Amino acid sequence: MNINTDRTSSPAFPKVAFLGPAGTYSHQCARDKFGTNVEYVEQPNISAIFDVLSEEIPYAVVPQQNSTFGSVIETYDNLRRDDIGQRIHVKGEITISIQHCLAVRSGIRPEGIKRIVSHEQALGQCAQYLSTHYPDAVRHKAPSTGQAALSLLRSDEVGLDDESELQTKSAAICSVLCAKMNGLEIVQENIQDRNNFTRFYVLSIDAEAKPPQLPESPQLFRALIRLESVHVEGHDLFARRPLQLVMGTLLTTFGVPTTRIDRRPSLNSTPFEDVYFIELEELGAPDYSIDRSGVYASWLHKVHQMAERARSSGVYATLLGVW
């Protein structure tokens, strides 16, 4: 566990885990929204962020989706875990603009780049640029954009044979801040394919506590519910007709706008069985700004009722978060 130096360690400030190292978009997101009200703790990958949440580190930010490249698979894979909705809860969201740059070590010629390193989301978000300008370059995945930048300084991280090959052939996709923090030269800025935004979930070990310094959202509330099969011997409708049952649940049980539906393979042993993640939205009442707590309490009660109705209809529903 590596504690970032944005704030000196103090029991007066809660800790927030993020996908490190310093300079990643997760770090930028956390700093933009939490400021100096927390202590930052970097983690090597998204799974480690979920693992480290505890009384010592009660909050975290994880990337959830990108406007260009879609859902962040590692985040949704972790949302399948049994402790999500029990020990770990989604308690907020943050969206930031993502502007990538192509960076190299000092003195490297751009025309000599043969390998480009970054997180798979960043590689996907810059696919058109890479295909146009570096069609023959090998695209190498890294755990984060920050680690991609650091990898240019360590040949073993990118699988190259020696230091001279590293110096002449590798580039990283990362933020301008990250490139400058690591002493890299920027070949080109704004290489993302289009207007590019990433949405992050804020995680907490407390279902009731409000994370520090999150912005107020005066127009809506949201909730995330996970739907899974209820296995009954000789009568497993979900496994045979999952999509129909999910859509029926949305239409007849929830009764509020559904803003997202994501799915991942189930963790059980049944082949081709999926877990569905349903994000719901409720428009705020007219007096929302005056009585936020009352409107939120009403929304929380409604969400719990919807989850109970889903369970009674033959679908196992787990409430993963309300915000």
Side-chain angles (χ1 to χ4, degrees):
M1 179 167 58
N2 191 1
I3 297 182
N4 189 267
T5 56
D6 285 346
R7 169 166 291 284
T8 303
S9 179
S10 169
F13 296 96
K15 295 178 181 178
V16 175
F18 69 95
L19 178 59
T24 61
Y25 295 104
S26 294
H27 186 210
Q28 174 188 328
C29 166
R31 289 182 61 184
D32 285 353
K33 299 306 179 184
F34 292 108
T36 58
N37 296 282
V38 299
E39 181 180 348
Y40 296 94
V41 184
E42 65 182 61
Q43 296 300 313
N45 53 60
I46 292 173
S47 295
I49 294 174
F50 282 85
D51 291 339
V52 81
L53 279 166
S54 61
E55 294 291 338
E56 181 185 359
I57 305 176
Y59 301 108
V61 293
V62 291
Q64 177 261 333
Q65 65 168 314
N66 176 262
S67 60
T68 298
F69 202 58
S71 302
V72 180
I73 298 302
E74 189 177 358
T75 293
Y76 276 98
D77 281 348
N78 279 279
L79 289 174
R80 299 177 299 176
R81 293 168 34 158
D82 289 340
D83 59 347
I84 311 300
Q86 303 297 323
R87 187 180 68 85
I88 299 172
H89 311 269
V90 180
K91 289 298 296 177
E93 62 181 81
I94 304 167
T95 299
I96 64 171
S97 175
I98 303 295
Q99 298 178 337
H100 295 300
C101 76
L102 187 69
V104 295
R105 288 183 60 160
S106 179
I108 303 305
R109 296 180 303 154
E111 61 270 21
I113 294 172
K114 300 297 181 184
R115 181 182 296 246
I116 297 174
V117 187
S118 197
H119 189 273
E120 64 176 344
Q121 278 277 333
L123 292 171
Q125 293 160 27
C126 302
Q128 184 176 338
Y129 170 85
L130 297 179
S131 296
T132 300
H133 297 278
Y134 297 97
D136 298 324
V138 175
R139 303 177 191 183
H140 185 88
K141 295 179 183 179
S144 70
T145 54
Q147 291 189 45
L150 286 176
S151 75
L152 299 189
L153 309 177
R154 300 193 299 267
S155 58
D156 59 317
E157 290 292 326
V158 292
L160 299 178
D161 294 336
D162 53 43
E163 186 73 6
S164 62
E165 188 178 8
L166 171 68
Q167 292 179 342
T168 58
K169 293 188 175 181
S170 291
I173 296 175
C174 60
S175 68
V176 171
L177 172 64
C178 185
K180 291 180 177 179
M181 287 177 62
N182 289 285
L184 301 176
E185 288 188 355
I186 296 173
V187 176
Q188 187 167 343
E189 296 186 26
N190 294 321
I191 64 172
Q192 62 278 356
D193 293 341
R194 58 180 71 93
N195 289 337
N196 196 23
F197 296 86
T198 294
R199 182 181 184 229
F200 294 79
Y201 278 152
V202 179
L203 306 178
S204 172
I205 61 167
D206 189 337
E208 302 301 326
K210 180 184 176 183
Q213 201 68 13
L214 272 183
E216 297 291 316
S217 179
Q219 295 180 338
L220 55 83
F221 291 105
R222 288 196 168 116
L224 183 66
I225 294 179
R226 185 179 65 212
L227 301 181
E228 303 172 74
S229 172
V230 175
H231 288 278
V232 178
E233 186 174 353
H235 189 70
D236 196 352
L237 289 177
F238 194 101
R240 289 188 284 113
R241 297 190 289 112
L243 186 57
Q244 295 95 316
L245 197 54
V246 167
M247 296 307 296
T249 300
L250 296 182
L251 292 173
T252 63
T253 303
F254 292 153
V256 297
T258 300
T259 57
R260 282 188 67 84
I261 302 176
D262 291 273
R263 68 176 184 175
R264 294 296 296 150
S266 172
L267 293 176
N268 68 36
S269 59
T270 303
F272 305 114
E273 184 168 297
D274 293 324
V275 174
Y276 289 78
F277 299 91
I278 311 299
E279 195 168 302
L280 306 172
E281 178 180 307
E282 171 83 319
L283 298 179
D287 62 349
Y288 174 90
S289 60
I290 300 173
D291 185 19
R292 175 181 173 84
S293 60
V295 177
Y296 177 80
S298 176
W299 170 237
L300 181 63
H301 178 69
K302 181 185 291 188
V303 170
H304 278 288
Q305 285 186 321
M306 289 187 286
E308 285 298 328
R309 289 199 299 268
R311 295 181 192 114
S312 66
S313 70
V315 178
Y316 191 79
T318 303
L319 180 59
L320 304 185
V322 180
W323 66 99

